[in-house]
Amino acid sequence: VKEKTQQKEGPRIVFRVGKRLYLRPISREDISQMTVWMNDPDTTRFLSMVHPMSLEGELKWFENTETNKGKNVIFAIVLKDSDEMIGVMGLHGIDHLHGIATTGSYIGKEEYRGKGYGTEAKMLVLEYAFNTLNLRKICSFVYDFNLRSKRCLEKCGYRVEGVLKKQHYRNGEYRDDVLLAIFKEDFFPVWEEYKKKNFA
Ligand SMILES: CC(C)(COP(=O)(O)OP(=O)(O)OC[C@H]1O[C@@H](n2cnc3c(N)ncnc32)[C@H](O)[C@@H]1OP(=O)(O)O)[C@@H](O)C(=O)NCCC(=O)NCCS
């Protein structure tokens, strides 16, 4: 699997660089690895998908994403040291009229979770969303039991805005959906602090 997560040939494509990882656009070659992750209950229990995801379906999704670039931006999260793709992070439903979008993400393997990679990737995506796309507010939804994701978002400056009670049926019971959001002006102090800590 590791081999498949690496860029095999051609130049190293890098869109944003952090301390330990970089973001690049996803490519068709990433879709088989993503399909593995998208069927893994250890990952999907935190996400909204409930059906099996076929490779063909995911390839169609990829084509659609390519043609809808203005509305969605999807990044591969890649380790600098090994060029291994460890997850995916996206900005969805980009709306320039209202200046909003929603973030969603996953790190594909448990061994890479809880090591700060999610936070690092999110900070890079937020910097892009606010400083390049000129968005105003970014939202994210997490299930009430996903405390790791909630903590990761809060470290980036997101705050809880509301709770949709018993919104989704997960694992045999109805669970709350928590809406978190961050405004541009609240991001910059967090970003400055982050840069001092990680890029100084
Ligand atoms: C959510 C996700 C992207 C976050 O990325 P990550 O690299 O694991 O997150 P980080 O390590 O940067 O931050 C996680 C924080 O949560 C904390 N944490 C971990 N488990 C926790 C728990 N059960 N309760 C509270 N905090 C927890 C970690 O200690 C860390 O905080 P700290 O730096 O203050 O110690 C990743 O865990 C993941 O892919 N999870 C599965 C899929 C998923 O949940 N996707 C998001 C759907 S909304």
Side-chain angles (χ1 to χ4, degrees), residues 42-43 46-47 105-107 112-120 140-142 146-149 151-152 155:
D42 182 46
T43 299
F46 298 109
L47 308 177
S105 59
Y106 63 85
I107 307 274
Y112 289 129
R113 294 176 189 154
K115 293 188 159 57
Y117 293 129
T119 302
E120 187 173 329
S140 191
F141 287 94
V142 304
N146 197 353
L147 298 177
R148 181 170 53 190
S149 180
R151 169 84 187 122
C152 174
K155 279 200 294 175

Side-chain angles (χ1 to χ4, degrees), residues 54-72:
S54 68
L55 185 57
E56 290 72 18
E58 287 303 277
L59 282 166
K60 265 194 205 138
W61 168 83
F62 175 73
E63 300 299 341
N64 195 39
T65 304
E66 277 295 285
T67 55
N68 279 310
K69 275 226 173 83
K71 288 229 182 284
N72 297 290

Side-chain angles (χ1 to χ4, degrees), residues 70-184:
K71 288 229 182 284
N72 297 290
V73 183
I74 320 284
F75 295 110
I77 305 170
V78 187
L79 295 181
K80 272 162 106 172
D81 279 355
S82 58
D83 285 326
E84 182 185 0
M85 177 172 86
I86 60 164
V88 179
M89 187 166 285
L91 275 172
H92 306 282
I94 297 169
D95 181 333
H96 287 288
L97 174 62
H98 302 293
I100 53 172
T102 304
T103 45
S105 59
Y106 63 85
I107 307 274
K109 289 187 209 159
E110 186 58 38
E111 66 196 89
Y112 289 129
R113 294 176 189 154
K115 293 188 159 57
Y117 293 129
T119 302
E120 187 173 329
K122 188 127 294 175
M123 291 302 285
L124 295 173
V125 168
L126 289 174
E127 194 278 333
Y128 167 67
F130 291 130
N131 275 342
T132 301
L133 297 185
N134 197 18
L135 294 174
R136 181 180 64 86
K137 178 184 184 184
I138 306 294
C139 299
S140 191
F141 287 94
V142 304
Y143 293 124
D144 56 355
F145 55 83
N146 197 353
L147 298 177
R148 181 170 53 190
S149 180
K150 188 164 170 276
R151 169 84 187 122
C152 174
L153 292 164
E154 285 173 337
K155 279 200 294 175
C156 295
Y158 287 71
R159 294 289 167 259
V160 173
E161 285 207 339
V163 177
L164 297 164
K165 290 288 185 191
K166 298 188 178 181
Q167 180 75 359
H168 286 116
Y169 192 64
R170 304 300 295 178
N171 213 13
E173 52 188 351
Y174 289 100
R175 303 302 305 231
D176 298 349
D177 221 354
V178 183
L179 164 63
L180 293 102
I182 178 167
F183 285 90
K184 187 185 223 171

Side-chain angles (χ1 to χ4, degrees), residues 17-32:
V17 189
K19 191 179 180 184
R20 295 177 298 161
L21 55 80
Y22 63 92
L23 304 178
R24 63 163 171 79
I26 56 166
S27 73
R28 183 185 303 275
E29 286 70 44
D30 298 322
I31 300 301
S32 59

